[in-house]
Amino acid sequence: MKNKDMHLNHNGLIVSVVDENDLTSGNREHLFTCSICKGEKEQLEKELKNFGLMAKKFAPLPRKKIILFPETSRNSWLRRPVYAAGFAVALLMIGLWWYQSVQVPQKNMTAELLLETEKDRQLMTEIFALEDNVLPDSCLFVSKGDYSYLDEEFMDFVIPVAKIQNNDGYFLYLKQKSMLMA
Amino acid sequence: MDMNFQIVKLVENAKKGDRTAMERLVDSFHDDIFRMVYYRTRSQMDAEDLTQEIFMKMLKKLPVLKDAGKFKPWLFSIALNRVKDFHRKKRILIFLGTTMQIDNDRQTPAKDGDNPEDCLMRKEFWKHFHRFARILSRREREIFLLRFVDYLGIREIAQVLKKSESTVKTHLYRAVKKFRQNEEFRDLFKGEL
Ligand SMILES: [Zn+2]
C-alpha cells in the first residue's frame, strides 16, 4: 500500500496541524483526498481554536487606558519636578512666616495673660494675709497666740484711754500718755 | 487598506515622533497585549500595570526598531520579557518570604452580565488551563500559548523568541501532542462555542 493510500497516524495528524507543509508528499496527497483524515485534522484544529476563543472569552478586558504622554510633560509648569519643588519650598516659607507672625504672638499673649492672672492672685493673697496679720513679719512672734480672754475692761486698765471728744481732748490724751512714759 | 500595511505605516510615522500614530498603535494592540499578559499572570491588576509598562517601553525603544514589518513580534517580545521579569522578581520575593502566592490573585473578576453558569465555566476553564499548562515544558507552554491564544504565526513566534522556525515547530509539535492526548481537557472544546 502506498503512503498516499494510508490514513495519517497520530504523529502525521499533529504535523498536519502544526504545519501542513512538513507532511511527506504522500501524506499530503492522502489528506487532500481522505475525508476521514481531513475530518480528524479539522476536529483537532477546531478544539485548538476553541481553546483560544475560550481563553479570550474568560479573560477580563483592561479597565485602565494606556497613558503614553502623562500630563507632566505637557504645559503645566507646576508638574515639572524642579518647579514643583520650588513651589513647595515657597509654600513652606510662607507657612513658617505665618506661623511666626500669627501663632507665636498668640502664644505670647496667652503666656502674658497667665502671668498677670498669677500676679493678681499673689497680690490678693498678700492683701488677705495683711488683713489677717497687720503686724510686720518680724513682730509676729510677739503677738502670736490667742488674746481673746483680754477683754476691753482689762485693756482699759492697762492702757487708760481718755474719751476723745475734740482736738483739745486729743492733746490732753497725748499729755497724759507723755506723763506716763516720762 | 490591508491591516498589516496600516500597522507598518503607523510604525513608520510613530518612529518619526508622530504622537497620533503612537496612540493609534497602542489602541490597535492594547487588548492583545493585555490578554497576553493576563494569560501569563492571571491577575487583572498586574496585567494592567504590566501592559502600561510594556507600552512605555515600546515608546522608548521604537526609534531602534529597524524593520517596521516586524513590529508585532517585536512588541510581543518586549511583553514576554516583561512578564518573565515579573515572575522572576515574584519568585525572589516569595523565596525571601516577603510575599505570598495568594490564590485570590489568580481569581478572575466576573464580567458584567455573567450568570452563575458562566461563572462556573470560567472557573473550570482556568483550572484546566492551569493544570494543562503544568504538563508542558516551559518552552512548549510559551510556544503553545503564543500560537493558539495569542494567534501568532510560526515565523512570528520564531522572531519573538529569537529561535529558528524548526525549533519552534518541534516544541509546538510536542505541545499539540500533549493536548491531543489530554482527553479531559479536550472535552471542554469539542462543542460549538
Ligand atoms: Zn485517511
Side-chain angles (χ1 to χ4, degrees), chain B residues 66-97:
Chain B
K66 285 173 191 153
D67 188 349
K70 288 179 182 169
F71 175 78
K72 190 179 172 183
W74 176 79
L75 180 61
F76 270 80
S77 80
I78 291 176
L80 203 61
N81 283 331
R82 186 62 196 90
V83 170
K84 279 181 190 172
D85 195 40
F86 168 80
H87 283 301
R88 209 166 19 239
K89 281 177 185 163
K90 207 169 183 183
R91 265 201 301 276
I92 293 170
L93 289 174
I94 289 167
F95 177 73
L96 293 174

Side-chain angles (χ1 to χ4, degrees), chain B residues 106-131:
Chain B
R106 293 187 171 272
Q107 277 180 0
T108 310
K111 278 183 174 180
D112 291 339
D114 254 6
N115 56 47
E117 201 186 336
D118 279 346
C119 217
L120 199 70
M121 273 181 75
R122 190 175 56 246
K123 271 187 183 165
E124 274 296 293
F125 171 78
W126 288 116
K127 193 178 85 185
H128 281 91
F129 179 97
H130 197 56
R131 201 178 287 167

Side-chain angles (χ1 to χ4, degrees), chain A residues 7-8 30 34 37:
Chain A
H7 288 305
L8 264 68
H30 174 85
C34 177
C37 289

